[in-house]
């Protein structure tokens, strides 16, 4: 049996018309938003989407609005051809459409007048920053949930995420959207945004996919040297130990946090944050007396990794 042909479109109007034509036929649509450089974690999200909807759309778009000028937008790994081959290999009904827009913040000819050539060649749109008179200036904020954890060190990140997900929802018009819970704060923010803005979309969160050694799958893992990768295992291993300790009666969040921080520092990492928060409202806890999630962000070399583990008290 041959590989399924996947429709690839870069045009948002073509994407929207396809979705609406499928809806007229009574079909349900599942969306899996990605930034490409797909791995088994992404493929697991697609397989979950197949359980939830009849047709599957995968978006591949490196969203510039969630990167600050000091972050790795221009070096973010990409392999579009490889991504398509991986999508074709998915068993079952497979993927129906790949939505691969060039720039979802380009609204016309004005972009040439407000983006310098060097930035344009790198895929960076100055208009996002409001420099152009006709540039993008409408943002979606989930004000309280975005403040802690990743929001502290990446203050524009969740504004960019919420806005681009809103745009994708308005273009693809899915019935279901599937996200990984490795980006736990992001998942909760999207759930809250969908609730607050009355999107008629079911949001499904999937558990973290890990490599055999326990490292949480991430497109950025490819940037780790073998030595850094080995040291980065301190994150998942210390989180697992913390969960076991909590389940055995250790409820002091300070002591659990300190144990994880110490393990990462001893491995040569630099901790961005290590927080134990309520699973729903993401507020920091002093003691574990309700379902919590232990979230960590840490640097190994030049790579920032995130991971988490749920502790259901």
């Amino acid at each position: 049996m041959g590989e399924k042909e996947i429709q690839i479109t870069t045009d948002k109007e073509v994407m929207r018309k396809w979705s609406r034509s499928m809806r007229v036929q009574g079909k349900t649509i599942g969306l899996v938003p990605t930034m490409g450089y797909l791995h088994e974690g992404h493929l697991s999200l697609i397989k979950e989407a197949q359980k939830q909807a009849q047709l599957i759309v995968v978006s591949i778009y490196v969203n510039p609005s969630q990167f600050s000028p000091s972050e790795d937008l221009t070096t973010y790994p990409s392999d579009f051809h490889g991504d398509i081959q991986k999508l074709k290999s998915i068993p079952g009904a497979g993927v129906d459409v790949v939505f691969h827009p060039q720039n979802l913040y380009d609204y016309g000819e004005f972009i040439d007048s407000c983006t310098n050539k060097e930035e344009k060649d790198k895929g960076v749109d100055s208009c996002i920053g409001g420099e152009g008179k006709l540039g993008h200036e409408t943002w979606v904020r989930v004000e309280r949930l975005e403040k802690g954890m990743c929001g502290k060190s990446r203050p524009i990140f969740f504004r960019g995420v919420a806005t681009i997900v809103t745009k994708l929802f308005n273009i693809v018009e899915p019935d279901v959207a599937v996200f990984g819970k490795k980006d736990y704060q992001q998942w909760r923010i999207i759930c809250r945004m969908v609730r607050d803005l009355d999107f008629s979309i079911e949001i499904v969160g999937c558990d973290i996919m890990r490599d055999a050694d326990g490292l949480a799958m991430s497109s950025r893992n490819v940037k780790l040297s073998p030595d850094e990768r080995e040291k980065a295992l301190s994150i998942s291993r210390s989180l697992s130990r913390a969960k076991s300790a909590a389940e055995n009666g250790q409820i002091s969040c300070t002591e659990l946090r300190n144990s994880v921080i110490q393990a990462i520092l001893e491995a040569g990492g630099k901790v961005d944050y290590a927080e134990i928060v309520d699973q729903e409202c993401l507020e920091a806890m002093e003691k574990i007396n309700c379902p919590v999630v232990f979230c960590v962000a840490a640097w190994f070399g030049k790579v920032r990794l995130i991971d988490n583990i749920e502790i259901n008290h």
Side-chain angles (χ1 to χ4, degrees), residues 133-287:
K133 292 181 180 179
L134 299 178
H136 185 93
E137 57 178 318
T138 304
W139 301 101
V140 180
R141 306 294 297 252
V142 182
E143 293 184 345
R144 188 178 54 77
L145 290 185
E146 72 173 36
K147 286 182 178 178
M149 296 190 290
C150 284
K152 290 181 180 178
S153 58
R154 306 185 73 189
I156 70 166
F157 176 72
F158 290 119
R159 180 191 78 166
V161 168
T163 301
I164 199 62
V165 171
T166 296
K167 289 168 75 69
L168 289 170
F169 285 174
N170 285 333
I171 293 166
V172 178
E173 299 182 344
D175 299 280
V176 179
V178 181
F179 295 85
K181 291 200 287 186
K182 181 174 76 73
D183 301 278
Y184 200 93
Q185 187 176 13
Q186 171 180 285
W187 171 59
R188 286 299 188 190
I189 283 172
I190 291 167
C191 290
R192 189 64 55 87
M193 177 188 81
V194 165
R195 185 202 72 175
D196 290 355
L197 298 184
D198 292 308
F199 280 103
S200 182
I201 300 171
E202 179 185 356
I203 304 300
V204 176
C206 291
D207 291 336
I208 296 172
M209 288 288 289
R210 299 182 182 277
D211 286 324
D213 57 11
L215 189 68
M217 290 184 180
S218 169
S219 298
R220 288 186 171 94
N221 288 352
V222 69
K223 295 183 177 183
L224 293 167
S225 69
D227 182 55
E228 289 167 347
R229 182 188 172 90
E230 180 63 30
K231 291 177 177 178
L233 296 177
S234 60
I235 302 175
S236 59
R237 289 171 179 170
S238 61
L239 282 174
S240 293
R241 289 195 297 269
K243 179 174 182 175
S244 295
E247 291 173 342
N248 287 319
Q250 173 58 276
I251 63 171
S252 169
C253 293
T254 298
E255 293 182 14
L256 292 170
R257 288 178 63 250
N258 288 343
S259 68
V260 168
I261 291 169
Q262 182 179 353
I264 294 171
L265 293 177
E266 289 178 352
K270 178 183 176 183
V271 177
D272 183 352
Y273 65 79
E275 297 285 349
I276 299 175
V277 300
D278 180 282
Q279 288 184 14
E280 289 286 339
C281 65
L282 304 185
E283 289 187 358
M285 306 292 291
E286 293 183 5
K287 293 183 178 181

Side-chain angles (χ1 to χ4, degrees), residues 14-242:
V14 170
M15 182 69 254
R16 185 179 285 116
K17 288 177 181 177
W18 179 89
S19 291
R20 291 182 177 179
S21 69
M22 294 300 108
R23 280 179 169 278
V24 168
Q25 298 176 36
K27 303 288 188 180
T28 54
I29 299 169
L31 170 65
V32 181
T34 81
M35 295 210 300
Y37 211 73
L38 305 180
H39 51 66
E40 286 298 323
H42 294 111
L43 302 188
S44 72
L45 302 183
I46 295 166
K47 292 171 185 175
E48 178 60 32
Q50 290 176 331
K51 301 174 185 176
Q52 306 285 338
Q54 295 166 293
L55 301 172
I56 305 300
V57 176
V58 174
S59 63
I60 296 178
Y61 181 65
V62 180
N63 174 35
S65 70
Q66 67 194 57
F67 291 82
S68 71
S70 63
E71 292 178 331
D72 58 351
L73 170 61
T74 57
T75 60
Y76 193 86
S78 65
D79 178 13
F80 185 70
H81 176 74
D83 289 345
I84 297 300
Q85 296 310 307
K86 289 175 182 176
L87 294 178
K88 286 182 177 180
S89 71
I90 296 175
V95 172
D96 297 277
V97 178
V98 169
F99 180 44
H100 183 50
Q102 181 178 2
N103 186 353
L104 286 177
Y105 299 91
D106 181 355
Y107 304 107
E109 295 299 321
F110 73 87
I111 193 168
D112 289 326
S113 66
C114 59
T115 304
N116 66 49
K117 185 178 186 302
E118 181 181 358
E119 288 180 324
K120 193 172 182 181
D121 288 344
K122 292 180 179 179
V124 180
D125 180 7
S126 294
C127 298
I128 292 175
E131 296 174 20
K133 292 181 180 179
L134 299 178
H136 185 93
E137 57 178 318
T138 304
W139 301 101
V140 180
R141 306 294 297 252
V142 182
E143 293 184 345
R144 188 178 54 77
L145 290 185
E146 72 173 36
K147 286 182 178 178
M149 296 190 290
C150 284
K152 290 181 180 178
S153 58
R154 306 185 73 189
I156 70 166
F157 176 72
F158 290 119
R159 180 191 78 166
V161 168
T163 301
I164 199 62
V165 171
T166 296
K167 289 168 75 69
L168 289 170
F169 285 174
N170 285 333
I171 293 166
V172 178
E173 299 182 344
D175 299 280
V176 179
V178 181
F179 295 85
K181 291 200 287 186
K182 181 174 76 73
D183 301 278
Y184 200 93
Q185 187 176 13
Q186 171 180 285
W187 171 59
R188 286 299 188 190
I189 283 172
I190 291 167
C191 290
R192 189 64 55 87
M193 177 188 81
V194 165
R195 185 202 72 175
D196 290 355
L197 298 184
D198 292 308
F199 280 103
S200 182
I201 300 171
E202 179 185 356
I203 304 300
V204 176
C206 291
D207 291 336
I208 296 172
M209 288 288 289
R210 299 182 182 277
D211 286 324
D213 57 11
L215 189 68
M217 290 184 180
S218 169
S219 298
R220 288 186 171 94
N221 288 352
V222 69
K223 295 183 177 183
L224 293 167
S225 69
D227 182 55
E228 289 167 347
R229 182 188 172 90
E230 180 63 30
K231 291 177 177 178
L233 296 177
S234 60
I235 302 175
S236 59
R237 289 171 179 170
S238 61
L239 282 174
S240 293
R241 289 195 297 269

